[in-house]
Amino acid sequence: IELDDISESEFINKSNMGLVPIKNDNANTICSSIYSGSYNAYMAFDKKSGSYWCTTGGKQNDAYIGYNFNNKTYIDSVDIYSAAYRCKEVKLQCSNDNNTWIDASDIITFENNNDIHTIESNIKDTPYQYWRVYVITGYDSAYTGIYECEFYGI
């Protein structure tokens, strides 16, 4: 989905139907790193267009942002609004121990623009407690950032 097809405010409104509650702290969020308190992990789940999660410098590849649902949860898809420090190749992953991860999607290549992307889960018949967006590579920056990330159930 491109921003031309859906506005940022429509994305935020749609994300209100997702599984992750509006976050204002890092409880239940999981991530590979945080640049600073101004770019906390929860900011990818706060439903605010002016904030975002950002990795530590030099960590644009092999980065991730996700959520611990506390219970095994079926996931159909995840929407990602990646505008700052754009993601290039990503995939959806799931786990029941936050240690061993299973690929839940194919590798998706994002264009280098302000797109809103949807990743469909290939694992819709098995619930997992932890779900994350794994950024394999980013575009030309020392950081990876995601404005908003929302998981949708079946």
Side-chain angles (χ1 to χ4, degrees), residues 10-74:
E10 289 173 314
F11 175 80
I12 298 298
N13 288 336
K14 179 185 174 196
S15 70
N16 287 331
M17 298 180 300
L19 297 176
V20 177
I22 295 172
K23 298 296 297 172
N24 60 12
D25 62 36
N26 286 326
N28 289 58
T29 61
I30 56 173
C31 68
S32 53
S33 67
I34 297 171
Y35 178 75
S36 73
S38 298
Y39 303 97
N40 270 306
Y42 79 85
M43 293 177 174
F45 303 101
D46 66 0
K47 316 282 193 277
K48 294 179 182 176
S49 60
S51 65
Y52 61 93
W53 162 72
C54 185
T55 62
T56 303
K59 301 293 184 183
Q60 76 276 23
N61 300 327
D62 299 317
Y64 63 86
I65 184 79
Y67 198 75
N68 171 4
F69 288 96
N70 287 330
N71 296 300
K72 292 183 179 182
T73 304
Y74 293 94

Side-chain angles (χ1 to χ4, degrees), residues 48-124:
K48 294 179 182 176
S49 60
S51 65
Y52 61 93
W53 162 72
C54 185
T55 62
T56 303
K59 301 293 184 183
Q60 76 276 23
N61 300 327
D62 299 317
Y64 63 86
I65 184 79
Y67 198 75
N68 171 4
F69 288 96
N70 287 330
N71 296 300
K72 292 183 179 182
T73 304
Y74 293 94
I75 297 295
D76 176 70
S77 62
V78 60
D79 282 353
I80 303 164
Y81 178 34
S82 171
Y85 308 112
R86 296 177 181 98
C87 307
K88 182 176 182 180
E89 294 178 312
V90 301
K91 60 185 171 181
L92 181 62
Q93 293 186 318
C94 53
S95 173
N96 278 322
D97 62 8
N98 197 22
N99 188 35
T100 304
W101 292 90
I102 298 168
D103 291 345
S105 75
D106 297 328
I107 295 172
I108 308 296
T109 301
F110 294 171
E111 296 298 320
N112 190 13
N113 53 30
N114 292 347
D115 279 357
I116 296 168
H117 305 278
T118 299
I119 303 173
E120 297 287 332
S121 174
N122 293 336
I123 301 177
K124 296 182 182 184

Side-chain angles (χ1 to χ4, degrees), residues 119-132:
I119 303 173
E120 297 287 332
S121 174
N122 293 336
I123 301 177
K124 296 182 182 184
D125 58 348
T126 305
Y128 288 89
Q129 180 175 337
Y130 301 88
W131 289 84
R132 72 182 185 183

